[in-house]
Amino acid sequence: MSNSGKQHNTKTTSGAQQTIEELLKDYYENYKRVIAGGSEAAVALHRSRGKLTARERIDALLDKDSPFLELSALAAAGQYNDQFPSAGIVSGIGKVQGRYVVIVANDATVKGGTYIRETIRKHIRAQEIAIDNHLPAIYLVDSGGIFLPEQSRVFPDKDDFGRIFSNQARISAMGIPQVAVVMGSCTAGGAYIPAMSDESIIVKNQGTIFIGGPPLVKAATGEEVTDEELGGGDVHARISGVVDHLADDDLHALKICRNIVSGFHPSQPQMINRIEGREPLLPSRGLHKLAVNESGTLIDHAAVIEHIVDGGEFQPFKQEYAKTLITGFARINGYQVGIVANNGVVFGETSRKGAHFVQLCNFRKTPIIFLHDVTGFIVGKKYEHDGIARDGAKWIHAVSTSAVPLISVVTGGSYGAGNYAMAGRAFDPRFLFMWPNARIGVMGGDQAARVLTQLKKAKGKNGADLEAKSEEQLYKEIKARYDYESSAMYSTSRIWDDGIIDPANTRTVLSMVLDIVTQRQWPEFKPGVYRM
């Protein structure tokens, strides 16, 4: 969380296991790299045209000294030969005229601001956050549209490029304001971003909007026309009426945008139990020592809670029952929250305790913080006979139908159905963040490697076709692949989370997120049928 440039994400390398210090070093080095945007030549060309960079535009738009919660800053990292830093788009939440807004800013220094798969996922995720929290959306447009070499992966499907415009219509129908500021190219399908916004601004002699650019027009009709003649600021402000305001430059356009935001109808926030906040009992940097990166070693969530809640005060719920799950109430920056934190494998009684507590939070209109470090549900004949699937379903059901905001932080591992019960991505938490040491997958690397090695052996002649050496090699190869594909870096590159956060910033991020999720009234809790 920062003034656009200081919210840090990280890189996690495959291979040898890294210490938290090494992971944090990667974390900061990688964020420093991605905030630079495209190549030096591309940035220089961008500036020579009188343009601000994407993050400079965000800084100028935000209220002075307003924090900016950047989302998925390391999107696309490790993919496309690292040619798309931040997937060519900056998204996040900050305050404009004292009001939280979602901001999506194209970075034209990265392949002309064109869209790859991760760019689209990131843009759509920002819109989902606007919908879930009833936050106005501001689009700072400077994009060449779809990255054509990737067209088969970004155009035809349900959640591809067209979903952006479908979402704009839905956002508008919900009465959520949208403003587009055209500060460069706005081409092909991207032309619908300003056309579908409540109000649009364009920078003269810089912004352009057209369904088909001059080369396409010439190929289709033989007509020769310049960018400015076809769809420049004067055309759309004075002739077509596609935009509503004509700005002299970037700063003038952002000033107009701020003035528009000042006229938005006030939000209708959720009434919530909040008092004056207090500092935690323990310093935030102590969380670095708790962020273990060793297979089979549990995160000490009792200690984590002491570092993030007001005064270190925690009111446990069912403390003596089902001790592999910590549940209870606390305050974070004065906000009353429920906390669900793993303390081992999930048993039937763990599930029943989790379901009970999630229901309780819903009836009390209390948002829930999930701290993940879960290997999954217990397996074995006894537990199947006892109905572990039935009990697990209760907890998953309660989470799925929750009406209060769910906020997930993966502090360690988040595996299998344990991820589901702890409000993983498929269960629509309002936000999901990962520590740099965190892992997410169907199972841990060691467990997956052992299972798959056994299956491989079973396919041979009584298992004798694999010698000890080849069996060990197979195990190592499978484990290395699972460890890499379950890493925080792999996850955040693919927008499976909302970003990696420094453990020491956990309380700060949660405080801002709790402020954000109260900006709309929450629906009533309506659970379905529980198999008893």
Side-chain angles (χ1 to χ4, degrees):
M1 191 175 68
S2 70
N3 291 325
S4 98
K6 306 183 186 86
Q7 162 69 19
H8 299 284
N9 285 47
T10 187
K11 176 181 179 182
T12 304
T13 58
S14 59
Q17 189 163 279
Q18 293 178 290
T19 65
I20 187 61
E21 289 77 15
E22 291 169 330
L23 289 168
L24 285 167
K25 184 172 181 289
D26 282 345
Y27 174 93
Y28 287 110
E29 286 178 353
N30 277 274
Y31 189 76
K32 183 178 179 180
R33 175 178 58 82
V34 301
I35 64 171
S39 66
E40 289 184 7
V43 173
L45 179 61
H46 186 85
R47 292 190 187 282
S48 73
R49 294 170 172 164
K51 294 182 175 182
L52 301 173
T53 65
R55 287 181 171 82
E56 287 171 343
R57 287 167 172 169
I58 291 171
D59 274 338
L61 176 63
L62 293 173
D63 294 347
K64 186 178 179 181
D65 298 324
S66 169
F68 180 64
L69 181 64
E70 184 169 348
L71 304 170
S72 301
L74 286 183
Q79 303 185 71
Y80 310 96
N81 296 316
D82 278 325
Q83 294 180 2
F84 285 87
S86 289
I89 196 169
V90 183
S91 65
I93 305 168
K95 282 189 174 181
V96 176
Q97 302 286 31
R99 181 162 182 172
Y100 282 115
V101 299
V102 169
I103 302 171
V104 178
N106 299 113
D107 187 346
T109 71
V110 179
K111 300 292 185 181
T114 52
Y115 280 66
I116 54 173
R117 189 174 187 83
E118 286 70 26
T119 321
I120 293 168
R121 287 177 62 87
K122 191 169 172 179
H123 193 134
I124 290 173
R125 176 59 186 148
Q127 290 179 315
E128 290 172 350
I129 290 171
I131 291 169
D132 289 343
N133 300 286
H134 281 214
L135 301 180
I138 297 175
Y139 309 105
L140 306 182
V141 187
D142 196 346
S143 169
I146 286 175
F147 183 63
L148 292 180
E150 289 281 302
Q151 71 88 22
S152 65
R153 300 180 69 236
V154 301
F155 177 72
D157 209 352
K158 176 183 176 182
D159 287 322
D160 286 345
F161 200 52
R163 173 61 69 171
I164 292 170
F165 317 114
S166 174
N167 279 344
Q168 280 192 264
R170 292 185 173 93
I171 291 169
S172 180
M174 295 174 70
I176 301 171
Q178 297 174 94
V179 179
V181 188
V182 182
M183 313 175 90
S185 295
C186 188
T187 307
Y192 291 109
I193 291 177
M196 298 189 72
S197 294
D198 297 1
E199 289 192 61
S200 294
I201 307 157
I202 193 168
V203 179
K204 66 182 180 182
N205 301 318
Q206 179 175 301
T208 55
I209 303 171
F210 30 65
I211 299 298
L216 182 59
V217 170
K218 182 172 175 57
T221 70
E223 181 183 10
E224 292 191 8
V225 63
T226 66
D227 286 4
E228 195 66 27
E229 291 169 337
L230 182 64
D234 274 336
V235 168
H236 290 303
R238 305 179 192 279
I239 301 173
S240 75
V242 169
V243 301
D244 310 296
H245 308 274
L246 184 63
D248 297 329
D249 53 28
D250 281 4
L251 289 174
H252 184 209
L254 295 168
K255 182 179 180 181
I256 294 170
C257 184
R258 286 181 55 82
N259 289 339
I260 292 171
V261 174
S262 68
F264 288 169
H265 190 274
S267 61
Q268 295 181 311
Q270 171 68 36
M271 296 296 294
I272 190 168
N273 183 342
R274 188 186 187 190
I275 60 175
E276 186 176 348
R278 293 180 293 147
E279 289 300 309
L281 181 66
L282 301 173
S284 61
R285 292 193 64 82
L287 289 169
H288 289 167
K289 295 180 180 179
L290 299 174
V292 296
N293 191 35
E294 299 174 12
S295 180
T297 303
L298 287 173
I299 299 287
D300 183 355
H301 275 142
V304 170
I305 291 168
E306 284 188 303
H307 283 79
I308 64 173
V309 303
D310 292 8
E313 294 178 0
F314 180 67
Q315 179 186 338
F317 175 79
K318 286 186 180 291
Q319 185 173 16
E320 302 304 320
Y321 179 76
K323 291 189 176 183
T324 62
L325 189 71
I326 299 171
T327 55
F329 297 98
R331 292 188 184 274
I332 295 178
N333 196 23
Y335 283 105
Q336 174 84 354
V337 298
I339 297 177
V340 178
N342 300 116
N343 191 32
V345 71
V346 177
F347 294 93
E349 59 268 29
T350 318
S351 300
R352 295 192 293 271
K353 176 178 175 178
H356 185 171
F357 185 71
V358 168
Q359 280 191 313
L360 194 62
C361 289
N362 271 275
F363 282 111
R364 293 183 181 179
K365 295 285 187 182
T366 302
I368 308 172
I369 310 294
F370 291 85
L371 303 176
H372 298 223
D373 187 21
V374 57
T375 54
F377 282 69
I378 193 70
V379 298
K381 180 178 177 180
K382 175 185 182 301
Y383 303 106
E384 296 296 349
H385 287 194
D386 286 345
I388 183 69
R390 177 193 60 233
D391 290 331
K394 292 186 181 72
W395 188 7
I396 292 171
H397 197 129
V399 169
S400 302
T401 58
S402 282
V404 297
L406 311 179
I407 302 161
S408 283
V409 181
V410 184
T411 61
S414 186
Y415 297 117
N419 171 267
Y420 303 160
M422 291 293 291
R425 190 68 145 185
F427 293 80
D428 294 325
R430 295 288 185 91
F431 294 92
L432 188 153
F433 300 102
M434 297 184 76
W435 283 5
N437 57 298
R439 296 188 177 277
I440 189 166
V442 69
M443 61 180 68
D446 179 71
Q447 187 180 6
R450 294 186 188 281
V451 170
L452 291 176
T453 301
Q454 289 300 316
L455 290 175
K456 180 74 173 178
K457 285 178 62 179
K459 289 183 178 180
K461 295 179 180 179
N462 299 318
D465 62 329
L466 279 176
E467 298 177 359
K469 183 177 180 181
S470 62
E471 181 179 335
E472 180 182 355
Q473 184 62 32
L474 178 63
Y475 166 83
K476 288 181 178 179
E477 289 174 358
I478 295 172
K479 185 178 185 302
R481 179 168 66 86
Y482 264 76
D483 284 346
Y484 169 61
E485 292 180 354
S486 64
S487 68
M489 180 62 180
Y490 194 91
S491 167
T492 208
S493 175
R494 289 155 181 80
I495 331 289
W496 296 348
D497 54 61
D498 293 314
I500 300 171
I501 60 173
D502 184 330
N505 292 338
T506 303
R507 173 183 164 88
T508 303
V509 170
L510 288 176
S511 295
M512 185 172 180
V513 164
L514 286 166
D515 212 21
I516 291 166
V517 299
T518 63
Q519 298 303 300
R520 64 163 291 189
Q521 294 182 5
W522 308 331
E524 292 300 313
F525 179 46
K526 295 181 179 180
V529 176
Y530 283 54
R531 183 178 294 277
M532 305 306 290

